[in-house]
Amino acid sequence: MTSMRRSVILSRINRVFLYLAIAALFIVVVFPFYWMIVTSLQPQDAVMNVPPQLWPEHPTFQNYIEAWHAAPWTRYFANTAFVAVASTFLSLMTSSLAAFAFACIDFRGREALFNVVLSVMMIPTATTLIPNFLIIRTLGWYDKFLALIVPFSTSVFGIFLLRQYFLSMPKELWEAAQIDGASRFRYFRSIALPLAKPAIVTIAINSFLGAWTSFLWPTVMTQSPDKQLIEVALNSFLGEKGQQWSQLAAASVFTTIPIMVLFFFVQRQFIEGIGGGGIKG
Amino acid sequence: MDNKRTPAQRKQAVRNNVAGWLFTLPSVTVLFVFTFLPAFIVILLSLFDTNLVGQADFVGLGNFRQMLMSGDFWGSILRTLYFTVGSVPLAVAISLLIAVLLNAGIRGRAFWRIGFFIPYITPLVATSIIWLYIFNPDYGLLNAALKLVHLPASRWLTDTASAMPAMILYSTWHDVGFAVIIFMAALSRVPTELLEAAQIDGASGWRTFWHITWPMISPSTYFVVIINTIGAFKMFTQVAVLTQGGPVDATTTTGYYLYEQAFGQMHFGYAGAVSIGLFAIIFLLTMLQRRLTGNKVFYG
Amino acid sequence: MSHARAFLSVVLVLLIALTSAVVTVPGVRAEALTTIEVIIGKNTGTVNGKSVTLEQGALITNGRTLVPLRFIAEAMGATVGWDAATKTANLTLADNQIALAIGKTVAKVNGYDVILDAPAAIVNGKTLVPVRFVAESMGATTAWDAASKKVTVQFSMSWLTDKAIVPFWEAMGAALGQSLTGLTKEFNATHPSMEVQLVQMANYNTLQTKTIGAIAAKDPPLIAQAYENWAAQYATGFYLSTFDSYINGPNGLTKTDIADFFPKMWDSAKLADGKRYMMPFNKSNVVLYYNKDMFNAAGITHAPTTWAEFAEDCEKLNKTNDKGEQTQWGASHTPSVDVWYGLVHSFGGRVLSDTYDNVLFGNNNAAKAATQLFADLYTKKYMHYTTAYGDQSDLGNGKAGMYMGSVVGRSYVEAAVGNKFELGEAPLPAGPNGAAVSLYGTNIVMFGNAPKYTQRQKDAAWAYIKWFTSSHTQAVWAAQTGYLPARQSSLQDPVLVAAYAAKPETRAGLEQLGSSILQPPTSGWNDARSKISSNLQAIYLGKVSVADGLKNMARDVQAVIRK
């Protein structure tokens, strides 16, 4: 056998192993989602069988119906969507304005302020939870949507990312705009922002995801049933349903679908945003 | 700075300052009120024994003394460290492996990549629920699988020894996707000429990886380690949903301990002291990491 | 350093004062108030001060005051209809309808049956009706002045449109929640000026943390379920109020009523300082559920009456296969502080001293023997160590012969068992020192000192609690849920009699009431429970010997018990 042939066979075997390895890892990682769906379709008395069935013998949608009626999910979805959209929108506005200032406006104290802002990332949320509780209480925002939106209406990650983008804009653009008589804000809105679209999409997705998955903060800052967000509601549902896994799985599935759908549409930008932006090296 | 500015320049400077501060005002205000101000308030709070409604006794450093002497506090720190040391290297290793495999030129990279990423974007509560079912020692999937291959079953989340490993397993599964993306991007930026040169020189795959690829992706590695470490220390949701700190206190991380002291026992001042302690430890760790990896991160 | 201390105290006080500044003042509304007065024996009544002649005066029957129907109805603005065939008076006010039949002790309010102590009657050709019943069923308030024998009724139409809202935080899930919802609906329908709003929490843990959060946020509910030790915690804040003023007030409880409560439950409603912060709500204890078929197959004729017998039965019932794996356990048990508490006492041991500040079990032989019994059963695998409701699942799946669960869990156990075997229920076994069973379950507390609630709301909350703890309601509650009725007279109520007749074994919980023991009503006990729980788990999982485990537990509990 020629060494050429040998290396071809070797590389083919390598390829097979490669695919096998990837496929195995893939299955392990994705299996719980398959399991979630299977469990949601199982009748309740089948979910505690030993050994578990990998495929439902008598699939049923009953669990979805029961789980849906067991709690006011439309309210929870509406709440979460409202909070997510509001905080994302505000976050984009405030972060882009600040990032623009840090990148393109030469003002006194810029460096110091930027470093202070960055250092915020160091403070863990656990440390500020209780004093924030006091602050929210003082503001009269306890159990109000304000408490769920305003504290998240800016993003240090967003400031950092957008600043990178704005820094990479050539100075000539600004000079040209100045000659045209554009104000700073005009320049920001019409030229800088559109150029930073990929970053904006990344930040928006990040912010939306954060709001959709928030748990500790809404648990502490709200109490009324009509203010509950989806994750807190799902956890309460877990407490109520105990071992009724099929209903719990159904609820897990339908509370996850919106975020999955969103992700399906924006996955490329999101992944590129994480992989490509902001990290040098 | 040229102190012989023209009036026009000075005017521009003033306009710049105003514009700069105006643009940053909304963002900075929010950050100030909800991140800096609380940081100061928590220091004040930690000096009192209070239930926030009526009872507030000044105890000075009493809370800190109690914390430093508390077996529960140090236990929670140890457990948090256990979790971090258990999950971070594991997550890094597995995600790097996946990224390397994906980068080795298989088809459908985007498809595989998304699959690995899905656990990361799925809300923690939803995935915790299904894992709670999977971990069930009597009828859960994991023990059924173990039985199939004649391995001993584990009590997973219900036994003090296996609860944290179970938590680590779950968290690693959840976090892997994020690091895969980072690593894939980093790997794709390794200049191919270097790799080809190494191949021509006859270097084996492993040596190429260790001597060329690994240093070149080290900033990303560092980034992943830091992000995962901070995340591990902040962890709360999984504990709240899966174990509520149990069994016994096997999964009571410091984040959860802090919550319990505040909202389970009404010891808000003490909880404040614990949150400061937590911050101090995260800070120390980050400093330590920076020092340890200082000269090993290659920025190219 | 006292300057710094003073300065810091001032700053913190300022901060807390600032946050207290956000106080909602309840809106003061001008109500068109109608005041009606009638004096027993006199033939005149007054409406808003104006005198009205009555053809028949008010009188007292069976302790209840009856007043002329037309008089009271017209004064309140209700329309009266008379059905001669059934001799029923129908009153209508706004959307509310009352139907009173002469001589019948059951009236209808908005479709619900209400039991009367004194029926409507015809005296001198005039129809007289019980004033308190009619007034309250139409949203009015009544007050009785014993000295002048005067009944005062006050009413405002705005009370019907602007109801007194009572937020009630509870953790009654599934079937229990349905029963509570049904009963609350009945209360709201029969008390049209009041509306109790149930807010159901996912579980007791959430109820506690949410209530603490709400208190800390200065936004507590009006009433909530609470264990005694939670109430001790809440009492350290501003808002918890005592019930004495209501019990002794115009709409209060008579001495007969108070004596009618089961003494242990009435006593459990006080905190260690003797203040009555609670009212009984859902009391229960743990009973033994068992698989009668499995017992028969193993030749066991009756449920174990002593713990020693329990251990023997566990051994008889346990089965292993040829691989040495356990296929059947004698019992399954999720470690429980409540069960252990009773267990120790049944062996003659004590957990805490009478003043609740000293631990008595650290080196105590009775406590050791009691704990050892369970520990051995776990070690030998005659008893299955489970978590959460795993023990109930085991019984239902036929994997274990016995399990200790709340009386209230009966409906869940029945659901788990289905038709697979015959379910048995028995009191818990007794120890060498007799029977001792933890009486647990929550009481209701009222955050009456919270400024956001008006007096109307608080009165409504009390009316609800009084109604809920009344004899008939307790009978219905017990029959539907399995909770132990708070009133002794409930045992004669036909509803409960029928329920117990249908399933005689469900009396097991009631039978144990005599051997009830209460857990310490202190906030330190709150911390202590979690310490006991963690140490019990360590002992039962075999990580530490019983002697060492109890020593550790004693040390942990002593450290927190004095808060």
Side-chain angles (χ1 to χ4, degrees):
Chain A
M1 215 189 299
T2 64
S3 73
M4 188 66 163
R5 193 110 197 250
R6 196 181 300 148
S7 65
V8 167
I9 293 177
L10 262 175
S11 79
R12 200 164 289 171
I13 296 175
N14 275 346
R15 287 204 92 71
V16 170
F17 271 122
L18 192 63
Y19 274 98
L20 275 177
I22 279 291
L25 284 163
F26 186 81
I27 288 177
V28 168
V29 170
V30 169
F31 195 79
F33 289 97
Y34 169 75
W35 196 230
M36 203 192 282
I37 298 177
V38 165
T39 309
S40 69
L41 297 171
Q42 292 270 36
Q44 176 56 29
D45 49 22
V47 294
M48 299 209 245
N49 280 349
V50 177
Q53 303 168 332
L54 285 181
W55 182 257
E57 268 174 25
H58 305 286
T60 168
F61 277 106
Q62 189 60 26
N63 301 312
Y64 284 92
I65 299 173
E66 278 177 29
W68 185 259
H69 282 124
W73 293 106
T74 20
R75 168 105 275 197
Y76 300 145
F77 275 112
N79 289 345
T80 316
F82 172 59
V83 169
V85 168
S87 55
T88 302
F89 178 69
L90 286 172
S91 194
L92 282 173
M93 281 202 342
T94 60
S95 308
S96 57
L97 281 168
F100 181 74
F102 285 128
C104 305
I105 304 179
D106 185 13
F107 63 97
R108 192 124 57 109
R110 182 174 72 170
E111 285 309 308
L113 192 63
F114 184 63
N115 284 329
V116 165
V117 163
L118 269 194
S119 67
V120 161
M121 291 220 264
M122 292 275 309
I123 305 178
T125 28
T127 306
T128 54
L129 182 70
I130 295 163
N132 266 321
F133 176 70
L134 265 177
I135 292 175
I136 294 284
R137 180 180 85 175
T138 313
L139 290 168
W141 290 0
Y142 178 72
D143 203 32
K144 302 218 168 54
F145 282 115
L146 279 170
L148 299 176
I149 297 174
V150 177
F152 301 99
S153 58
T154 197
S155 158
V156 178
F157 168 67
I159 295 177
F160 186 70
L161 198 64
L162 281 168
R163 179 174 168 273
Q164 303 280 81
Y165 266 81
F166 291 145
L167 277 177
S168 69
M169 288 189 317
K171 282 225 173 60
E172 298 82 53
L173 270 175
W174 169 231
E175 279 154 22
Q178 262 186 313
I179 291 170
D180 280 346
S183 76
R184 250 205 193 84
F185 187 72
R186 209 65 203 297
Y187 175 66
F188 162 73
R189 196 178 53 144
S190 323
I191 299 179
L193 269 188
L195 278 179
K197 216 181 263 179
I200 288 181
V201 173
T202 306
I203 297 165
I205 298 168
N206 215 44
S207 186
F208 193 86
L209 192 64
W212 196 271
T213 57
S214 62
F215 181 74
L216 179 55
W217 185 271
T219 298
V220 168
M221 303 297 174
T222 60
Q223 67 179 51
S224 307
D226 60 348
K227 299 258 172 20
Q228 292 314 301
L229 298 192
I230 211 115
E231 283 298 271
V232 183
L234 190 58
N235 192 39
S236 299
F237 197 66
L238 173 64
E240 282 165 28
K241 291 291 167 181
Q243 316 234 301
Q244 297 186 325
W245 299 111
S246 44
Q247 275 196 44
L248 285 169
S252 302
V253 169
F254 65 62
T255 55
T256 312
I257 283 182
I259 210 76
M260 292 295 206
V261 167
L262 173 73
F263 182 66
F264 178 71
F265 283 112
V266 298
Q267 26 126 314
R268 173 154 303 151
Q269 287 100 315
F270 191 52
I271 289 178
E272 273 166 23
I274 291 183
I279 296 134
K280 294 280 179 250
Chain B
M1 195 126 77
D2 186 3
N3 55 4
K4 285 211 203 84
R5 279 150 132 204
T6 65
Q9 279 177 324
R10 245 177 283 147
K11 213 170 163 198
Q12 183 58 42
V14 168
R15 244 188 266 140
N16 277 356
N17 284 343
V18 170
W21 283 92
L22 221 58
F23 271 59
T24 53
L25 193 66
S27 185
V28 169
T29 312
V30 171
L31 287 175
F32 177 74
V33 173
F34 295 105
T35 323
F36 282 110
L37 194 57
F40 287 112
I41 290 179
V42 77
I43 296 176
L44 185 64
L45 185 67
S46 63
L47 301 172
F48 285 80
D49 177 18
T50 173
N51 64 4
L52 289 188
V53 274
Q55 181 218 347
D57 309 312
F58 182 79
V59 292
L61 296 174
N63 283 331
F64 291 97
R65 219 174 293 139
Q66 188 189 344
M67 176 179 87
L68 292 173
M69 295 201 299
S70 160
D72 288 337
F73 171 71
W74 288 113
S76 75
I77 293 284
L78 275 171
R79 273 170 240 123
T80 314
L81 279 172
Y82 175 15
F83 177 77
T84 311
V85 169
S87 62
V88 173
L90 193 64
V92 170
I94 293 182
S95 49
L96 188 55
L97 172 68
I98 294 175
V100 165
L101 288 174
L102 284 180
N103 232 38
I106 62 167
R107 264 176 294 179
R109 280 177 42 156
F111 167 74
W112 301 111
R113 194 175 54 178
I114 290 174
F116 287 114
F117 196 61
I118 286 185
Y120 184 73
I121 59 134
T122 317
L124 277 168
V125 180
T127 49
S128 296
I129 287 179
I130 201 64
W131 274 90
L132 204 54
Y133 178 48
I134 291 176
F135 275 133
N136 186 291
D138 299 319
Y139 45 75
L141 196 64
L142 271 179
N143 275 352
L146 286 176
K147 220 200 275 186
L148 207 64
V149 292
H150 300 293
L151 282 172
S154 163
R155 296 200 61 87
W156 301 113
L157 294 168
T158 61
D159 184 276
T160 50
S162 56
M164 198 51 105
M167 197 66 91
I168 290 174
L169 176 62
Y170 166 72
S171 299
T172 309
W173 172 84
H174 184 268
D175 293 332
V176 146
F178 180 76
V180 165
I181 305 290
I182 305 270
F183 282 131
M184 278 180 75
L187 285 171
S188 67
R189 285 195 284 263
V190 174
T192 37
E193 312 89 57
L194 279 175
L195 294 171
E196 280 166 13
Q199 218 173 8
I200 292 172
D201 280 348
S204 75
W206 178 247
R207 284 191 78 200
T208 317
F209 179 80
W210 188 242
H211 290 282
I212 299 181
T213 316
W214 176 256
M216 293 230 73
I217 61 169
S218 52
S220 297
T221 314
Y222 179 62
F223 176 72
V224 168
V225 169
I226 290 274
I227 291 282
N228 277 3
T229 305
I230 294 182
F233 262 84
K234 294 201 310 192
M235 173 181 79
F236 176 82
T237 306
Q238 298 98 306
V239 178
V241 179
L242 290 172
T243 57
Q244 294 94 54
V248 194
D249 50 9
T251 56
T252 303
T253 55
T254 312
Y256 194 76
Y257 174 66
L258 151 58
Y259 174 79
E260 271 189 329
Q261 284 299 311
F263 292 98
Q265 308 291 352
M266 292 181 100
H267 303 321
F268 288 97
Y270 178 69
V274 173
S275 36
I276 293 177
L278 181 63
F279 172 65
I281 295 194
I282 294 183
F283 189 75
L284 277 170
L285 261 182
T286 324
M287 291 291 111
L288 198 69
Q289 265 179 340
R290 202 174 278 183
R291 190 150 300 182
L292 278 178
T293 62
N295 26 4
K296 296 210 193 121
V297 176
F298 173 72
Y299 283 102
Chain C
M1 271 293 116
S2 62
H3 285 271
R5 179 192 281 239
F7 173 67
L8 283 167
S9 305
V10 168
V11 173
L12 191 76
V13 166
L14 272 176
L15 207 70
I16 294 191
L18 248 175
T19 64
S20 316
V22 187
V23 161
T24 44
V25 179
V28 178
R29 211 179 291 214
E31 298 168 339
L33 198 64
T34 310
T35 309
I36 306 161
E37 290 172 341
V38 191
I39 298 181
I40 305 294
K42 281 191 60 188
N43 278 22
T44 54
T46 57
V47 179
N48 284 339
K50 273 200 286 206
S51 199
V52 175
T53 317
L54 309 169
E55 283 164 36
Q56 167 62 44
L59 45 87
I60 298 185
T61 309
N62 212 16
R64 299 282 171 215
T65 308
L66 304 180
V67 299
L69 169 63
R70 282 228 179 256
F71 168 66
I72 189 78
E74 274 164 25
M76 284 182 59
T79 48
V80 182
W82 173 254
D83 182 355
T86 53
K87 293 228 186 107
T88 306
N90 293 305
L91 291 99
T92 314
L93 181 60
D95 312 322
N96 303 305
Q97 293 195 322
I98 306 174
L100 277 159
I102 303 294
K104 294 258 165 58
T105 48
V106 177
K108 258 199 170 14
V109 178
N110 288 329
Y112 287 96
D113 285 344
V114 178
I115 299 172
L116 307 172
D117 286 331
I122 298 188
V123 176
N124 284 347
K126 293 294 161 207
T127 313
L128 296 183
V129 293
V131 67
R132 164 154 277 165
F133 163 72
V134 167
E136 284 175 0
S137 304
M138 291 203 290
T141 60
T142 56
W144 168 251
D145 181 18
S148 54
K149 291 219 181 129
K150 180 166 68 169
V151 177
T152 312
V153 174
Q154 290 200 310
F155 176 69
S156 167
M157 273 302 282
S158 67
W159 292 351
L160 291 180
T161 46
D162 187 20
K163 301 190 187 201
I165 309 265
V166 179
F168 178 17
W169 285 16
E170 38 91 7
M172 305 269 88
L176 304 174
Q178 280 172 356
S179 179
L180 181 63
T181 310
L183 285 171
T184 307
K185 269 207 188 104
E186 183 179 338
F187 174 82
N188 288 342
T190 52
H191 296 77
S193 63
M194 306 174 185
E195 187 179 331
V196 174
Q197 290 176 344
L198 298 175
V199 178
Q200 187 191 332
M201 303 290 170
N203 50 50
Y204 280 110
N205 196 18
T206 311
L207 175 61
Q208 186 192 18
T209 50
K210 273 273 184 267
T211 308
I212 289 178
I215 294 172
K218 297 180 185 275
D219 194 2
L222 181 48
I223 55 179
Q225 274 183 275
Y227 286 104
E228 290 83 3
N229 48 65
W230 295 1
Q233 258 185 340
Y234 303 161
T236 63
F238 286 134
Y239 304 122
L240 210 61
S241 55
T242 56
F243 281 102
D244 299 290
S245 58
Y246 291 101
I247 294 173
N248 302 323
N251 188 23
L253 297 174
T254 63
K255 286 216 176 68
T256 333
D257 289 329
I258 295 176
D260 188 30
F261 279 90
F262 279 104
K264 286 253 161 64
M265 296 193 201
W266 187 249
D267 290 338
S268 81
K270 287 194 291 198
L271 283 185
D273 59 4
K275 296 215 183 115
R276 186 163 290 281
Y277 280 113
M278 303 170 271
M279 285 289 286
F281 178 65
N282 60 335
K283 290 303 188 186
S284 58
N285 50 31
V286 172
V287 291
L288 191 72
Y289 293 102
Y290 63 101
N291 184 333
K292 281 191 176 161
D293 296 355
M294 207 188 275
F295 268 47
N296 289 336
I300 307 176
T301 54
H302 59 265
T305 51
T306 65
W307 287 115
E309 209 184 324
F310 174 80
E312 284 167 16
D313 289 347
C314 280
E315 187 173 351
K316 281 189 206 158
L317 290 166
N318 101 94
K319 288 199 187 129
T320 52
N321 63 13
D322 20 306
K323 285 193 221 151
E325 293 169 345
Q326 205 74 25
T327 53
Q328 187 171 290
W329 291 274
S332 286
H333 180 56
T334 300
S336 149
V337 176
D338 303 297
V339 170
W340 179 81
Y341 193 83
L343 184 70
V344 168
H345 282 87
S346 74
F347 270 68
R350 291 285 306 276
V351 173
L352 292 187
S353 62
D354 287 337
T355 44
Y356 312 123
D357 53 5
N358 270 313
V359 167
L360 296 178
F361 60 83
N363 201 14
N364 174 271
N365 286 329
K368 277 190 206 158
T371 316
Q372 192 74 52
L373 187 113
F374 271 39
D376 287 343
L377 287 173
Y378 279 123
T379 318
K380 294 190 201 142
K381 297 210 194 301
Y382 298 158
M383 188 150 79
H384 187 198
Y385 182 98
T386 52
T387 54
Y389 289 102
D391 45 8
Q392 188 182 93
S393 302
D394 279 353
L395 180 74
N397 293 334
K399 295 226 186 86
M402 301 183 272
Y403 120 87
M404 291 166 264
S406 166
V407 257
V408 177
R410 172 105 191 171
S411 54
Y412 296 106
V413 182
E414 284 175 352
V417 168
N419 292 326
K420 295 183 226 147
F421 55 80
E422 194 185 345
L423 177 66
E425 185 178 335
L428 280 187
N433 207 43
V437 182
S438 276
L439 178 67
Y440 67 48
T442 62
N443 297 320
I444 291 191
V445 294
M446 179 148 80
F447 294 97
N449 291 329
K452 68 186 274 200
Y453 295 115
T454 62
Q455 191 57 46
R456 266 191 74 210
Q457 285 173 292
K458 294 185 238 182
D459 291 342
W462 168 250
Y464 177 67
I465 294 172
K466 181 178 172 194
W467 177 86
F468 202 90
T469 53
S470 66
S471 184
H472 179 64
T473 314
Q474 282 294 302
V476 174
W477 177 237
Q480 287 179 352
T481 59
Y483 278 115
L484 308 170
R487 298 279 206 124
Q488 300 177 60
S489 55
S490 302
L491 298 177
Q492 280 88 51
D493 189 291
V495 169
L496 199 50
V497 168
Y500 284 142
K503 289 184 190 158
E505 284 189 336
T506 56
R507 288 188 67 107
L510 209 60
E511 280 159 33
Q512 296 183 121
L513 250 177
S515 44
S516 293
I517 45 173
L518 298 172
Q519 290 185 28
T522 59
S523 64
W525 181 243
N526 219 12
D527 283 325
R529 276 182 67 95
S530 57
K531 300 282 182 230
I532 294 178
S533 183
S534 24
N535 279 291
L536 273 183
Q537 290 179 50
I539 295 174
Y540 292 156
L541 283 172
K543 307 213 183 235
V544 70
S545 72
V546 170
D548 289 339
L550 284 179
K551 275 211 197 83
N552 295 340
M553 195 196 289
R555 184 200 60 217
D556 290 345
V557 170
Q558 187 68 59
V560 296
I561 200 65
R562 280 165 198 221
K563 295 265 172 72

